[in-house]
Amino acid sequence: MIDLKSMTLEELSGFLRSMGEPAFRGRQVFTWLHKGVSSFDEMSNLSKALREKLKEQCILTVPRVAKKQVSARDGTIKYLWQMADGNCVESVLMRYHHGNTVCISSQVGCRMGCAFCASTIAGKVRNLTPAEMLDQVLFTQQDSGAEVSNIVLMGIGEPMDNLDNVLRFLELVNHPDGINIGMRHISLSTCGVIPGIARLAELGLQLTLSISLHAPDSETRSKIMPVNRAYDVEALFAACHEYFRKTGRRISFEYAMIDGVNDHDWQADLIAKRLRGMPGHVNLIPLNEVTESPFRLSRRMAAFQKQLEAQGITATVRRSLGGDIDASCGQLRRRAMEEEKKGEQGCKFGV
């Protein structure tokens, strides 16, 4: 079956021409798909005969809300979406004064193995298709009634480990006949997969690159982030400097504050040293504690921020949203996994 929603407008128009349809049908179908229709029958300006042909040859991805949590504090909504094969991923709608942001997943599970992250528990199952990433935006808007103006690829999975599909998703979500969210309103986060960073640098997309740093020294980073054994932190900073040289765009460095692990003054000093020569923003994140992890929230958040700022580094503490729900990445999916083990109804895993 053909996945129409993962096609570009040009590919879709070509497919419909191959069915004997005029070229303008491609734009009509593309527009319907990007409105988040749940069936081909909703495409009312297409002939019934064409709709029947599409049903026979094509799939229409429509995720189901498996679980939903709404924060009474700030209106943050956490979704667990169940896809056609039964697997589940998470997305989060966050409300800010400048607009609504949705954080989406790029994979089912993750193989990167970061020691403090719930997303990587049970490893990677599969990549998401461009359509499945797009669906998280479309159906979050549809279910919540809130128009999304910003996207962050910072949910379950490593985007650089599914880069071809991620790039196709970016092309689709940026299209003027679709949701039309500009690249400057999109952030892509990576734990430090250097070939992916280099590829983005060559493409010169106007998105914001976020690096999940979490430690500036190789010894610490290798203990909490296995990716550092493949792409050492020194090589990672070199890749970041090259990215800035080619694109001129500032990089955001995500830094989850872990008590007694990565919150020492000398580590703040090392961050400042390695950022020298390029602009960089350090986003300090209060650690979301995971039951399976021994790590706890740092008690030196303010002191670490002060140490960075004393050396001219822009450092902010991420605002905590959805504190009364499972808003941290991977938590809701993990809960569903536990329910499955108990024999309760939920998503399936390891497919």
Side-chain angles (χ1 to χ4, degrees):
M1 299 287 279
I2 297 166
D3 177 10
L4 293 180
K5 203 182 293 178
S6 290
M7 288 184 176
T8 63
L9 174 58
E10 292 73 21
E11 290 169 343
L12 190 50
S13 297
F15 172 70
L16 285 163
R17 282 198 300 270
S18 74
M19 297 175 70
E21 296 291 331
F24 70 85
R25 291 290 185 211
R27 191 175 301 275
Q28 288 179 324
V29 173
F30 186 88
T31 301
W32 281 116
L33 293 172
H34 289 247
K35 286 181 178 179
V37 294
S38 296
S39 74
F40 290 110
D41 289 328
E42 293 178 52
M43 299 180 178
S44 55
N45 57 354
L46 305 185
S47 68
K48 185 175 180 180
L50 176 56
R51 281 179 272 161
E52 291 301 319
K53 286 181 185 179
L54 293 176
K55 287 180 192 177
E56 292 171 4
Q57 300 182 38
C58 308
I59 58 169
L60 186 59
T61 55
V62 181
R64 180 182 72 85
V65 179
K67 289 184 182 296
K68 176 182 175 181
Q69 295 179 339
V70 183
S71 170
R73 297 180 187 175
D74 51 42
T76 297
I77 305 177
K78 182 69 171 281
Y79 290 99
L80 186 69
W81 298 107
Q82 186 174 42
M83 296 168 291
D85 65 356
N87 278 301
C88 287
V89 295
E90 297 177 8
S91 56
V92 183
L93 177 72
M94 297 166 285
R95 304 174 192 271
Y96 297 97
H97 68 275
H98 56 75
N100 299 310
T101 296
V102 64
C103 177
I104 70 166
S105 299
S106 56
Q107 295 177 313
V108 180
C110 182
R111 64 175 177 168
M112 295 301 155
C114 298
F116 49 85
C117 181
S119 297
T120 196
I121 295 170
K124 174 185 170 183
V125 178
R126 68 172 177 84
N127 289 329
L128 294 185
T129 65
E132 289 169 330
M133 286 180 263
L134 188 63
D135 282 341
Q136 293 173 68
V137 184
L138 291 170
F139 289 95
T140 291
Q141 286 191 142
Q142 193 174 103
D143 182 83
S144 68
E147 183 178 354
V148 169
S149 55
N150 300 276
I151 299 170
V152 292
L153 286 99
M154 206 175 286
I156 295 172
E158 164 55 56
M160 298 297 196
D161 194 34
N162 185 22
L163 190 52
D164 287 339
N165 283 343
V166 165
L167 290 174
R168 171 59 63 90
F169 159 75
L170 292 173
E171 182 179 357
L172 292 172
V173 82
N174 186 233
H175 199 283
D177 290 319
I179 304 177
N180 194 22
I181 294 178
M183 286 292 177
R184 290 178 181 270
H185 295 274
I186 300 174
S187 295
L188 185 153
S189 176
T190 176
C191 65
V193 180
I194 291 176
I197 296 171
R199 188 171 171 192
L200 279 185
E202 292 298 328
L203 291 171
L205 302 179
Q206 295 295 294
L207 51 70
T208 296
L209 176 63
S210 294
I211 304 294
S212 293
L213 181 60
H214 307 309
D217 61 293
S218 194
E219 181 180 358
T220 304
R221 199 166 191 267
S222 291
K223 289 177 181 177
I224 62 176
M225 301 182 72
V227 68
N228 195 72
R229 298 165 199 160
Y231 306 110
D232 181 83
V233 69
E234 291 188 13
L236 173 59
F237 273 103
C240 290
H241 278 271
E242 180 65 9
Y243 177 89
F244 171 69
R245 188 187 70 78
K246 287 185 175 180
T247 68
R249 296 193 60 77
R250 185 181 75 163
I251 298 172
S252 177
F253 293 88
E254 309 296 312
Y255 203 91
M257 296 293 292
I258 307 172
D259 192 48
V261 176
N262 66 351
D263 58 353
H264 304 287
D265 284 349
W266 66 266
Q267 289 167 316
D269 294 340
L270 187 54
I271 292 173
K273 178 182 177 181
R274 290 188 161 162
L275 284 181
R276 199 163 294 139
M278 70 171 179
H281 168 245
V282 180
N283 190 17
L284 302 176
I285 305 169
L287 182 72
N288 287 301
E289 297 180 0
V290 177
T291 303
E292 292 86 345
S293 170
F295 300 124
R296 295 295 173 258
L297 173 63
S298 172
R299 293 165 289 184
R300 300 197 69 250
M301 184 84 67
F304 198 85
Q305 181 183 16
K306 185 177 180 180
Q307 188 75 10
L308 286 168
E309 290 175 340
Q311 300 185 66
I313 302 299
T314 302
T316 56
V317 176
R318 178 185 288 177
R319 176 186 169 198
S320 181
L321 295 176
D324 55 333
I325 61 175
D326 296 319
S328 60
C329 183
Q331 297 281 30
L332 197 54
R333 181 172 179 266
R334 185 191 64 169
R335 189 185 295 273
M337 292 171 71
E338 292 170 351
E339 290 174 357
E340 185 200 36
K341 289 177 183 177
K342 294 177 184 177
E344 300 174 17
Q345 185 177 5
C347 300
K348 64 181 181 178
F349 301 91
V351 176

